Amino acid sequence: MPSDLSDAARIARAKDHPWCDLGAEIVVLRARDGAYYRLDATGRTVWLMLEAPRTLTDLLAQLANLYEGDPAVVAAETRDFVGQCTALGLLAVEADHG
């Protein structure tokens, strides 16, 4: 997971990765090597929420409103997902320098 994944970090989809919304899931093509990644329904929701860059705090608040799970679990799973997608180059994280 990126060490700069603070609550104020801005998260965005990485540029130049074609993707297709299949309704129940999204498939993303990693442009640099042609690898495909399938995002399940929850990953799809996060991906679509990141149409415009947003802070982790904002993303977590919207997901907490959408899902009725334990907010701590939602936050932990979202951080894990963002960390995995960032490591794969699918998402970009900009640390808060303010």
Side-chain angles (χ1 to χ4, degrees):
M1 176 168 314
S3 60
D4 58 356
L5 194 56
S6 70
D7 289 344
R10 292 186 60 78
I11 304 163
R13 296 179 199 155
K15 296 182 182 354
D16 301 325
H17 294 305
W19 58 278
C20 181
D21 188 349
L22 301 176
E25 63 185 20
I26 285 180
V27 176
V28 181
L29 171 65
R30 188 169 60 188
R32 72 176 180 237
D33 62 4
Y36 283 93
Y37 295 91
R38 183 182 61 81
L39 306 180
D40 66 10
T42 306
R44 177 186 180 275
T45 298
V46 173
W47 187 264
L48 294 175
M49 285 182 171
L50 293 173
E51 180 175 354
R54 61 181 47 208
T55 65
L56 182 59
T57 298
D58 182 44
L59 181 63
L60 292 175
Q62 288 205 349
L63 289 169
N65 286 332
L66 184 62
Y67 296 106
E68 295 181 7
D70 179 343
V73 173
V74 171
E77 290 180 358
T78 302
R79 286 176 181 275
D80 185 51
F81 175 78
V82 169
Q84 288 178 36
C85 287
T86 300
L88 291 169
L90 303 179
L91 294 179
V93 175
E94 180 182 319
D96 174 41
H97 299 292

